[in-house]
Amino acid sequence: MSGPSPAPPTPRTGRRLAVAFLLALAGFTFLCWRDAGRPPVRPVSGGTFVGQDVDGRLVQVCLFDQDEGWQGWLYREGRVQTDWFSTTNRNPPWQATVTGRESDVAPKPPESVIASTTNVLKLNATLPRLASWGVDTANLSRQFEHLSFRRRTGLKLGRYGGTKEFHAQFPKLPAGTPIFARVNALMLERCEMESREFTGGIFAHLKEGYELDWPATMSEWALTKNWQLRLLTTRLVSFCVWSYDETGGNGNHSHWAGENFVLTEDGLLHTVNLADLFRPETDWQHALRVGCVPKLKATSAPRPEAVLNKDVALDVFTLSPTGLQIYFNPYAIASGADGEFVVHFDYGELKDLLRTNGPALFLPYAPAEAAK
């Protein structure tokens, strides 16, 4: 007579999955609890550094904190290339050569170089001369410290899971002036809104990554936004905002936006649209498009006449101490590989088109006086 049948094997696989799920859930809960206790806005290294070149033009360098170094942007008043640089470390001494668009026809100028000093509140900028060959050094001082806004959702366990992270940096404007306080609050509101939009739907993101068996690099999404100040007065403020989304796919993922605001008589902050600056009885849009063509040719745009197409929007702009800048994002008038293009109009070029009231009244260039 045979003995009793052996007991069936213990279903250890199911238990292991249950334990792994519980551990993952506990880890996810801990990370959410930890991040919820951290303020999303914190001071960060870097800042907005300003000075003047030998011609008396404004020179600005914006340093944005990266995980392993600096992302920097060089701006020279009246010269509108989106010149940038990066470093592999944040601790001085460091220096970086600036990368910018080069003209296909003009001689290649000497390189611009940004370097640290022994004082973290100072930078040195070696810049090519505008009127002659050679270089000069501009000493830059930090005008504004930067704040960082960061929000992250999701969880990664090896190659499984996924995350979404929003990270923005912007200058902290000084207290004591009504428009500065309102702009600080507005930038924070924008970050709150945009971070919720980007990091939302995390469970759908995790589900999609699992179903499509994404590699780890495709399930870690990020959106970076860096605000650069172009104009700051007691009535007008203008920012150039560069953003980059890491959400998979090929192509140029960089994007430029202009954020322009005016403080009205009722004490409210209003967005400035391009039409608010120009006389409605003039054909200012056509005049701007025609004026953009030779300026785009000078920056080696492959198809400068594309701007004459009315389907090309003139809605990305900034204001500066001497003029108006119009930005054409990648794919707007050229391929993504060609990148963005920027044109600068001195206020004097626009004197017959600018309003003498509304936001235009507060431009550094006084259109009311010029019209006399």
Side-chain angles (χ1 to χ4, degrees):
M1 185 174 180
S2 61
S5 299
T10 303
R12 294 184 178 180
T13 302
R15 291 180 182 177
R16 288 172 181 165
L17 289 175
V19 170
F21 175 78
L22 291 175
L23 289 175
L25 182 61
F28 181 73
T29 303
F30 170 76
L31 291 175
C32 291
W33 170 81
R34 184 196 64 179
D35 289 342
R38 295 177 175 177
V41 181
R42 310 169 203 169
V44 69
S45 301
T48 299
F49 295 76
V50 299
Q52 290 184 334
D53 61 17
V54 294
D55 298 312
R57 291 174 176 261
L58 170 72
V59 178
Q60 180 194 77
V61 168
C62 292
L63 279 186
F64 297 106
D65 197 351
Q66 297 188 119
D67 292 335
E68 298 180 354
W70 298 115
Q71 181 197 73
W73 296 92
L74 168 65
Y75 174 76
R76 298 180 72 179
E77 182 65 33
R79 293 172 59 87
V80 295
Q81 298 94 330
T82 50
D83 296 340
W84 63 276
F85 61 91
S86 63
T87 71
T88 56
N89 70 294
R90 291 193 296 272
N91 298 320
W94 58 262
Q95 73 173 29
T97 300
V98 177
T99 300
R101 187 184 306 280
E102 297 178 1
S103 173
D104 293 335
V105 294
K108 182 178 178 181
E111 294 178 329
S112 298
V113 178
I114 311 300
S116 64
T117 69
T118 55
N119 185 343
V120 296
L121 303 181
K122 304 283 186 180
L123 293 177
N124 285 335
T126 302
L127 307 170
R129 297 171 185 165
L130 301 182
S132 62
W133 203 255
V135 295
D136 295 291
T137 299
N139 300 314
L140 312 181
S141 300
R142 193 174 78 170
Q143 185 179 33
F144 303 112
E145 69 172 313
H146 283 176
L147 298 176
S148 170
F149 184 104
R150 188 185 294 267
R151 178 163 287 156
R152 178 184 173 96
T153 60
L155 180 67
K156 287 283 295 179
L157 291 174
R159 69 183 303 273
Y160 297 102
T163 58
K164 288 185 175 183
E165 182 172 12
F166 175 89
H167 186 205
Q169 295 181 61
F170 49 88
K172 179 183 178 182
L173 304 185
T177 304
I179 188 173
F180 298 171
R182 286 172 172 79
V183 171
N184 282 333
L186 183 142
M187 286 189 287
L188 181 57
E189 290 173 3
R190 289 288 180 89
C191 290
E192 287 281 2
M193 178 188 67
E194 293 171 349
S195 67
R196 285 195 301 268
E197 291 177 352
F198 183 76
T199 61
I202 187 61
F203 290 108
H205 178 66
L206 296 173
K207 180 175 180 292
E208 184 178 13
Y210 175 76
E211 291 176 344
L212 299 179
D213 194 25
W214 283 347
T217 54
M218 287 187 61
S219 59
E220 295 177 322
W221 286 14
L223 174 60
T224 301
K225 289 202 168 190
N226 292 333
W227 293 57
Q228 304 175 48
L229 189 63
R230 286 292 178 264
L231 178 67
L232 182 64
T233 73
T234 56
R235 298 300 295 269
L236 274 177
V237 62
S238 179
F239 292 96
C240 168
V241 184
W242 172 85
S243 64
Y244 189 88
D245 70 88
E246 299 174 68
T247 56
N250 298 322
N252 190 333
H253 289 238
S254 63
H255 183 81
W256 295 87
E259 297 285 357
N260 308 282
F261 308 101
V262 61
L263 186 68
T264 57
E265 295 295 341
D266 56 7
L268 299 178
L269 203 62
H270 288 255
T271 298
V272 178
N273 297 311
L274 197 57
D276 298 331
L277 302 175
F278 294 99
R279 299 177 182 177
E281 68 273 14
T282 65
D283 193 356
W284 59 268
Q285 286 204 43
H286 178 72
L288 287 181
R289 293 180 188 278
V290 171
C292 282
V293 173
K295 296 176 183 291
L296 288 170
K297 286 182 179 179
T299 58
S300 301
R303 295 185 300 111
E305 293 81 8
V307 72
L308 298 176
N309 186 338
K310 292 185 178 180
D311 291 334
V312 176
L314 301 179
D315 56 352
V316 181
F317 72 97
T318 55
L319 303 168
S320 76
T322 65
L324 164 76
Q325 299 81 43
I326 299 178
Y327 295 73
F328 299 98
N329 272 301
Y331 306 104
I333 60 171
S335 69
D338 291 313
E340 71 287 337
F341 292 90
V342 190
V343 298
H344 173 91
F345 288 94
D346 287 332
Y347 291 128
E349 297 179 75
L350 308 173
K351 64 181 181 179
D352 296 328
L353 302 173
L354 289 171
R355 292 176 184 255
T356 56
N357 58 7
L361 184 62
F362 307 117
L363 292 172
Y365 169 93
E369 297 178 4
K372 295 178 180 178

